[in-house]
Amino acid sequence: MLVFSNEKLVFLSVPKTGTTAYEAALAPRAAIVVRQPPELKHAPVFRYNRFFRPAIEKFMGEGFDVLAVMRDPLDWLGSWYRYRQRPGQEQARNSTHGISFDAFVTEYMKGKRAAFAQVGSQTKFLEPQNNGTAVTHLFRYEDQDGLRRFLESRLGIEIETRRMNASPDMALTLSADVEARYRRKFAVEYQLYDGIGADGAFVPLANGVLPPHH
């Protein structure tokens, strides 16, 4: 998570959306950089609202915009799957070695998931809070040019990033049946993702609140 005090901007770090590269590039420019532990580095909206926002508003003032990145839902799961296949993780509790992508997505759709499929939810991460705290600028992961233009304009600098913390490259296949089931069960993920427009604008879901994650 990055906080830019003069520009009134908070950049939340949704896991597996390339934000580590921006953190490395923009850390010298930020007033606050949260790198560890992962629970704080990747603080979702509800945790930002509870722990960070009060201090930021007390010492830096109100009126901060909140920026985040969202990835295509199945591509996001694919990144997690590949990340947990990296060398040296074969014996890890959450390793996906020896598990097909079909099995990974199927397990993710269960109410109680095995450790290897416990990766959270982008919509839950981005869920607005009852006091109005919410993401104000949301970019698709696939729109790196748009995200960079926004940051360069807002911060008044040129930005160069390099690939970091990337998942291993590998081809993934998903059966049509599993994909159809996933898209039905997690339609809200696509509703939010498809509502993202140009320059980080997005259409809030019905009544402005994301439904509870199941």
Side-chain angles (χ1 to χ4, degrees):
M1 184 175 72
L2 300 170
V3 180
F4 304 94
S5 57
N6 292 335
E7 294 78 14
K8 299 283 187 178
L9 180 68
V10 174
F11 191 172
L12 298 183
S13 181
V14 181
K16 311 312 296 175
T17 62
T19 51
T20 299
Y22 282 95
E23 175 191 290
L26 297 175
R29 184 71 171 69
I32 298 174
V33 181
V34 182
R35 292 190 175 94
Q36 295 289 341
E39 292 80 5
L40 295 183
K41 173 184 176 178
H42 298 294
V45 172
F46 79 85
R47 192 168 291 142
Y48 161 74
N49 178 55
R50 181 176 179 183
F51 296 106
F52 293 98
R53 181 192 53 76
I56 288 172
E57 291 186 352
K58 180 176 180 179
F59 296 107
M60 299 181 187
E62 298 182 353
F64 274 75
D65 285 332
V66 179
L67 168 68
V69 178
M70 184 179 186
R71 194 166 184 164
D72 173 89
L74 276 173
D75 186 46
W76 184 75
L77 286 181
S79 182
W80 272 115
Y81 172 81
R82 290 183 286 109
Y83 183 70
R84 292 180 171 182
Q85 289 242 349
R86 64 196 189 280
Q89 295 299 305
E90 290 83 356
Q91 303 304 317
R93 179 170 166 268
N94 60 3
S95 171
T96 54
H97 283 271
I99 298 168
S100 69
F101 190 45
D102 258 21
F104 177 81
V105 176
T106 298
E107 186 67 27
Y108 183 80
M109 289 190 284
K110 295 180 179 179
K112 186 175 182 181
R113 303 162 181 158
F116 67 81
Q118 292 177 7
V119 298
S121 159
Q122 291 185 99
T123 52
K124 188 63 177 177
F125 185 107
L126 299 167
E127 188 172 47
Q129 300 302 287
N130 291 333
N131 66 351
T133 301
V135 170
T136 54
H137 301 277
L138 184 61
F139 283 86
R140 288 191 180 98
Y141 168 83
E142 296 75 13
D143 183 19
Q144 291 297 311
D145 288 343
L147 175 60
R148 184 176 288 105
R149 284 196 303 271
F150 172 84
L151 284 166
E152 288 182 341
S153 174
R154 187 69 175 254
L155 302 178
I157 59 174
E158 291 187 2
I159 300 172
E160 291 186 10
T161 59
R162 58 188 178 89
R163 195 179 185 198
M164 300 180 66
N165 201 28
S167 302
D169 290 325
M170 66 178 68
L172 299 180
T173 58
L174 188 66
S175 68
D177 174 66
V178 172
E179 180 174 348
R181 287 169 52 204
Y182 173 81
R183 287 179 178 272
R184 285 195 302 268
K185 186 175 180 65
F186 293 96
V188 65
E189 300 273 348
Y190 284 98
Q191 188 178 352
L192 179 58
Y193 179 79
D194 291 343
I196 301 173
D199 300 321
F202 65 102
V203 179
L205 298 185
N207 71 23
V209 179
L210 299 176
H213 175 62
H214 296 293

